[in-house]
Amino acid sequence: MGGKTEIYQRMQAARQAGRKALAVLIDPDKATDQHLERVVGLGVDAQVDFFFVGGSLVVKDELARCLAFLRSHCAIPAILFPGSPLQIDEQADALLFLSLISGRNADLLIGQQVVSAPYLYQSSLEVISVGYMLVDGGAPTTASYMSNTLPIPADKPDIALATALAGEMLGLKTLYLDAGSGARQPVSETMIRKVAQHVTVPLMAGGGIRRPEQAWASAQAGADIIVVGTAVEQSAELLGEMAEAVHRCRAGRINTREM
Ligand code: 1GP
């Protein structure tokens, strides 16, 4: 099956060059036009790499409006980060095709993907598969509750590594360590480093990153794409500092077979 690969190639090229990327997560339910205008303006100035759009629970019908706004106001790629097969819209550039590999909920491992695959096949969207791993961030999050799965314990990097390796061996094109939106603690540097040292696909990390130094530390530990949502929702001004912190980090990945 062919299909578009432009965004994925961009992710891979950045990873190979040791160039870190910032993705700003926009929850369409919460993003008023005024907020979007601000985030887009600051995002363009700060050279934000991607906008991720979606959420674990989207209750209003604002996705199309949000994507139309992004499309007409900037050239930063808009990538769907869907909480359900309902969140598909061809105005986006790509879609993260998530399989919740940290959980044992068959519906989120393969069930919902089977429902959405025929629609995606006929759409113009670039589909990027993601081995999605929820990590305990100190309290239940919407993602952990809605997915009805146990997150990976925060202090078990070996479990995260084994899960990530399985995901890569199954052919998933990217991996995502997520403490969940609004997590009390972000994914630890130890866990990110452990995974980053052994996988070769682009690695995303997010959930609970509130300060630029945390974004920098996650990138320095080996994440290629840092995802920030809540902090920018609460204070759009942080966006410039977040982007600066992530782009300043140049840590390449050192792969090892030593476990
Ligand atoms: C959630 O990783 C994202 O899936 C972003 O989390 O909202 O806590 O930044 P925050």
Side-chain angles (χ1 to χ4, degrees):
M1 195 172 72
K4 295 183 187 168
T5 58
E6 191 191 324
I7 306 269
Y8 182 63
Q9 277 175 11
R10 199 184 292 195
M11 290 178 177
Q12 266 188 323
R15 186 188 108 64
Q16 274 154 14
R19 210 170 49 240
K20 306 295 180 174
L22 176 69
V24 172
L25 175 63
I26 296 175
D27 179 340
D29 278 1
K30 295 184 188 152
T32 58
D33 279 0
Q34 200 184 10
H35 178 71
L36 282 174
E37 201 170 325
R38 184 126 185 77
V39 168
V40 167
L42 291 165
V44 169
D45 288 347
Q47 298 184 315
V48 159
D49 300 271
F50 306 109
F51 284 124
F52 285 1
V53 185
S56 305
L57 179 64
V58 173
V59 293
K60 298 186 209 157
D61 197 11
E62 301 287 355
L63 185 63
R65 174 189 59 86
C66 187
L67 288 168
F69 190 99
L70 293 176
R71 274 244 94 106
S72 58
H73 288 79
C74 70
I76 299 170
I79 303 179
L80 290 167
F81 177 48
S84 84
L86 297 174
Q87 295 174 37
I88 295 177
D89 190 309
E90 293 199 44
Q91 294 178 91
D93 297 285
L95 172 137
L96 298 179
F97 197 50
L98 308 169
S99 179
L100 183 58
I101 59 175
S102 59
R104 300 296 178 267
N105 177 342
D107 197 38
L108 298 178
L109 273 165
I110 187 63
Q112 298 202 352
Q113 295 79 350
V114 172
V115 172
S116 53
Y119 293 93
L120 293 172
Y121 182 73
Q122 294 173 81
S123 83
S124 59
L125 287 165
E126 177 177 342
V127 177
I128 302 171
S129 61
V130 184
Y132 184 59
M133 291 170 277
L134 276 176
V135 178
D136 192 350
T141 59
T142 307
S144 63
Y145 179 80
M146 291 303 290
S147 67
N148 198 15
T149 63
L150 276 180
I152 297 173
D155 60 348
K156 301 287 184 207
D158 289 343
I159 298 180
L161 173 58
T163 309
L165 287 174
E168 182 167 358
M169 287 173 188
L170 282 165
L172 296 169
K173 291 201 292 188
T174 64
L175 294 162
Y176 190 156
L177 286 167
D178 195 351
S181 196
R184 283 190 194 150
Q185 286 112 34
V187 178
S188 73
E189 292 158 54
T190 310
M191 184 178 281
I192 294 173
R193 188 169 299 111
K194 184 106 196 177
V195 171
Q197 280 173 344
H198 295 88
V199 300
T200 62
V201 295
L203 176 63
M204 301 176 241
I209 295 177
R210 291 193 176 75
R211 298 191 307 275
E213 53 275 24
Q214 292 173 317
W216 181 86
S218 300
Q220 181 70 21
D224 302 298
I225 301 171
I226 307 302
V227 188
V228 176
T230 309
V232 170
E233 246 166 45
Q234 290 171 349
S235 163
E237 293 66 35
L238 261 180
L239 207 154
E241 286 175 59
M242 288 283 188
E244 194 276 324
V246 168
H247 292 151
R248 177 161 44 90
C249 178
R250 287 276 162 188
R253 286 228 227 123
I254 301 161
N255 279 96
T256 170
R257 295 196 76 84
E258 196 76 35
M259 302 207 33

